[in-house]
Amino acid sequence: MTQEFDVAQGYFEYLCEIIHVDQIDRSYWILAHDLHARPFYALIPHDENRASDGLELREEYLREIRYPKYVDIEGECSVLEMLIGLARRMDFETSDPYDFDNTTDRTAYWFWEMIDNLGLLAFDDDSYVDYGGMTRVNWEIDRLLKRAYKKNGDGGLFPLMQTSQDQRNTELWYQMNAYLTERELA
């Protein structure tokens, strides 16, 4: 009997590997699943580019496992995919231009920083239920997607110390750049 490969499950595990869902002292499989179950949608013009970044991960994965070109991973971009795509952009924007071997990948670092900014870092697998689990996680994801965070970005992905622009009306790309600039990283 042959065992059929589950492309969708393999892809989810691939995403979890990128962000190091299994950490030294905790794991975040449940949170990653919740983030992957929620579709990302754009309320602000050009935020659909962040979805495109996330969807690129699917093609990368299928190329890596050498799956036939006619195989496709269906569905909208998930919040997890969007966050990983955005973390990769952050890694690129903050990378050392003299690292010619391109050996330093800080995608996981930036992903977990955004998760912390969203207030979701406490939701590891052991604490998930104790902290309100899916109800609280979905509330935080809704706050992100509906842009119900504070004007300075607090409660969103990129809180700023000082800003003259309402971050709720600012494209994620520009929020990210302001965040990195404020930290003198870009």
Side-chain angles (χ1 to χ4, degrees):
M1 177 159 58
T2 62
Q3 191 172 17
E4 195 169 311
F5 179 69
D6 184 345
V7 175
Q9 180 62 32
Y11 176 60
F12 174 68
E13 291 171 6
Y14 171 78
L15 294 175
C16 290
E17 191 175 306
I18 291 171
I19 60 170
H20 307 290
V21 77
D22 279 321
Q23 298 179 3
I24 294 170
D25 56 345
R26 64 188 65 147
S27 63
Y28 288 91
W29 287 98
I30 302 170
L31 176 61
H33 180 271
D34 285 352
L35 293 169
H36 196 52
R38 293 290 302 274
F40 171 75
Y41 57 86
L43 290 179
I44 303 295
H46 307 295
D47 273 353
E48 63 274 2
N49 294 328
R50 304 298 59 87
S52 295
D53 290 344
L55 293 174
E56 288 271 327
L57 296 163
R58 296 177 186 187
E59 294 175 31
E60 178 183 302
Y61 171 70
L62 292 172
R63 277 192 310 272
E64 187 170 303
I65 64 169
R66 295 190 169 112
Y67 235 68
K69 291 186 188 272
Y70 60 83
V71 172
D72 194 14
I73 299 172
E74 299 292 326
E76 300 171 82
C77 177
S78 71
V79 172
L80 178 64
E81 290 171 307
M82 183 280 293
L83 291 173
I84 294 172
L86 195 51
R88 282 191 163 178
R89 293 285 185 173
M90 293 174 78
D91 176 52
F92 177 79
E93 293 296 321
T94 61
S95 64
D96 180 357
Y98 300 105
D99 183 9
F100 298 113
D101 295 329
N102 197 23
T103 56
T104 306
D105 182 358
R106 294 174 42 105
T107 301
Y109 170 83
W110 289 118
F111 175 85
W112 291 110
E113 183 159 327
M114 287 186 288
I115 291 298
D116 190 27
N117 290 343
L118 288 173
L120 294 174
L121 200 57
F123 289 89
D124 62 70
D125 293 344
D126 292 334
S127 303
Y128 187 86
V129 173
D130 296 339
Y131 288 123
M134 188 178 287
T135 302
R136 175 81 190 283
V137 169
N138 278 326
W139 187 85
E140 298 292 350
I141 294 170
D142 284 342
R143 181 170 63 167
L144 169 67
L145 294 175
K146 294 176 182 177
R147 293 176 169 258
Y149 40 84
K150 294 181 181 175
K151 180 182 176 179
N152 71 342
D154 192 30
L157 298 174
F158 305 113
L160 299 173
M161 301 288 276
Q162 297 178 338
T163 182
S164 59
Q165 288 188 312
D166 188 337
Q167 297 303 295
R168 298 169 293 196
N169 301 320
T170 303
E171 183 183 338
L172 288 172
W173 178 257
Y174 293 112
Q175 286 186 42
M176 176 197 79
N177 281 290
Y179 182 79
L180 295 174
T181 300
E182 189 174 83
R183 284 156 184 73
E184 299 179 0
L185 297 171

